[in-house]
Amino acid sequence: MRRALTWWDGRAVLLALDVAVAAAVIAVTLAGGDPRDPHPALYVPAVIVSGLALLVRRRWPFLVLLVAVACMPAGVTLLPLMVAQYSVAVRYGVSVVTGLAVVVAGIAGNVVPVLRAPASFTLVVTVLGFFVLGPVLAGLWMHQRAALLAVLRERADEAERTRTLLADQAVFAERRRIAREMHDVVAHRVTAVALQAGALSLRAPDEKTEQAAETIRATSATALDELRGILRVLRDDAVEAPGAGVLASLEDLVEEVTATGARVELALPDPLPAVPDQVGRAVYRVVQEALTNAGKHAPHAAVEVRLDVTGDCLAVEVTNRLTPHGSAVPGSGYGLVGMRERVELAGGDLRTGPTGDGRFRVLAGFPVGGETE
């Protein structure tokens, strides 16, 4: 439908307007003209042709102008000519002066007979002013208005692009500042923990203490590696943490947690589904945060981690039994919020809460393809 209305900028209302203008011009011309002078046989066809030509005035305004001028010797009124002049002025602006020579030549044929009348000069000025200059000036005004609106629209778009660029620069600068703070504070503290745990493992009084210290050191080293990946993401949008094989690394994550004394049961589909990097990282973070929360709020409770693939959906479920005794480990209060945001960014949905049978469940669903790895 819009392709058929390309001459009218894809707007049916403009087509309806042109049809109404053409019909009105034909009706007024037939009602007010004099078919007896000078060519009665050509009068009605000329009126119809000049009126129908107005339907294409937006596409070929000069052609419509020539048709209106050509129909004037048959006694057609100046109404089609006025509309044609207005259309040429709207379309071409000041360059309409080129077409005015044709218009004046056509009008001269109707004006010359009037020159013999006593008030010929006044009548000529009136005719030229009202039927020629009026439509031309109105068309020029519309042309300049459209040009001004185009300039204002372009400036608004440019201002919007500038604001977006400045906002992106501000975000990038803030991300670099956060990266520096994380590197100077968090990385330093975690490195200190890793070094102290390593020293303790070398001088441990017994095997159990040595094992615990080694677990702390290994966990701190893994946290440093992940922190470096986060810092790379913060410093450069084009660099992201690797996502391939993330699902397989869940086994390593569970082993690290069980090394601290927790009881975790992991069930993975065989074979593992091939998921986008963003989904893989989101699954890893969901399991990691859920295990952390279980250790804080339900210490020593058994935790079940299960991944299931149903059609094009990957479900991640982490459940643990609720216990009346929590942990003194402080939390930020943003664990579930951050988990939900990460899941939604990966195109999934997250549900958390008690199950009604004395357990707490974290359930996340992600859309995945049908391939496996």
Side-chain angles (χ1 to χ4, degrees):
M1 179 62 179
R2 292 185 63 89
R3 292 183 59 184
L5 298 175
T6 53
W7 292 3
W8 296 272
D9 297 332
R11 299 166 60 185
V13 64
L14 294 181
L15 172 59
L17 176 61
D18 286 350
V19 171
V21 169
V25 169
I26 294 175
V28 172
T29 304
L30 289 176
D34 187 3
R36 295 173 298 174
D37 184 33
H39 304 288
L42 300 177
Y43 177 73
V44 174
V47 171
I48 296 176
V49 170
S50 61
L52 294 179
L54 298 178
L55 294 176
V56 296
R57 64 187 181 89
R58 300 180 188 273
R59 182 65 180 269
W60 297 299
F62 267 121
L63 177 62
V64 176
L65 181 65
L66 294 177
V67 170
V69 172
C71 292
M72 289 180 63
V76 178
T77 64
L78 294 176
L79 285 179
L81 185 63
M82 293 175 61
V83 179
Q85 291 175 98
Y86 171 82
S87 302
V88 172
V90 170
R91 179 72 175 273
Y92 299 102
V94 179
S95 61
V96 74
V97 176
T98 305
L100 286 183
V102 181
V103 176
V104 174
I107 293 177
N110 283 7
V111 174
V112 168
V114 185
L115 293 179
R116 302 187 182 92
S120 59
F121 180 78
T122 304
L123 185 58
V124 169
V125 172
T126 303
V127 170
L128 292 178
F130 182 78
F131 291 100
V132 177
L133 295 181
V136 169
L137 292 178
L140 289 177
W141 181 81
M142 291 296 296
H143 178 81
Q144 294 301 323
R145 179 177 178 273
L148 178 61
L149 290 178
V151 172
L152 294 178
R153 191 177 298 109
E154 183 179 354
R155 289 183 179 179
D157 293 340
E158 184 178 356
E160 183 66 24
R161 290 192 297 267
T162 303
R163 282 196 298 269
T164 302
L165 179 60
L166 292 177
D168 292 342
Q169 291 177 349
V171 170
F172 184 70
E174 182 65 14
R175 289 173 58 173
R176 293 185 66 89
R177 187 190 67 80
I178 294 174
R180 288 193 299 268
E181 293 294 331
M182 292 180 64
H183 179 270
D184 295 341
V185 179
V186 181
H188 173 73
R189 299 297 183 185
V190 176
T191 301
V193 171
L195 293 176
Q196 293 176 9
L200 178 61
S201 65
L202 293 176
R203 291 179 288 184
D206 52 57
E207 183 179 355
K208 186 175 181 180
T209 304
E210 178 184 357
Q211 196 174 45
E214 180 60 24
T215 300
I216 295 174
R217 186 203 63 78
T219 303
S220 301
T222 303
L224 280 175
D225 291 338
E226 295 180 352
L227 181 60
R228 293 190 187 98
I230 295 175
L231 294 179
R232 285 195 299 269
V233 173
L234 288 174
R235 289 183 177 274
D236 190 355
D237 285 334
V239 180
E240 292 192 0
V246 174
L247 297 184
S249 64
L250 290 176
E251 296 180 351
D252 298 333
L253 174 61
V254 171
E255 290 180 1
E256 294 176 4
V257 175
T258 54
T260 63
R263 293 179 295 163
V264 181
E265 179 182 346
L266 175 65
L268 297 176
D270 187 20
L272 290 174
V275 300
D277 292 349
Q278 189 177 23
V279 172
R281 291 191 296 271
V283 170
Y284 186 90
R285 296 305 181 191
V286 166
V287 175
Q288 185 182 48
E289 183 67 24
L291 292 177
T292 301
N293 291 340
K296 289 181 182 179
H297 306 292
H300 310 299
V303 183
E304 295 181 4
V305 179
R306 182 177 302 277
L307 271 69
D308 291 318
V309 178
T310 305
D312 293 338
C313 180
L314 171 64
V316 183
E317 184 180 23
V318 182
T319 58
N320 63 271
R321 186 164 297 279
L322 296 172
T323 60
H325 304 291
S327 173
V329 178
S332 63
Y334 296 102
L336 293 180
V337 176
M339 189 189 305
R340 186 178 304 278
E341 291 176 350
R342 182 179 287 274
V343 170
E344 291 178 352
L345 286 175
D349 61 275
L350 178 71
R351 287 176 287 176
T352 61
T355 60
D357 58 353
R359 302 177 67 83
F360 188 87
R361 181 177 67 176
V362 175
L363 179 62
F366 300 92
V368 296
E371 299 180 358
T372 58
E373 62 178 8

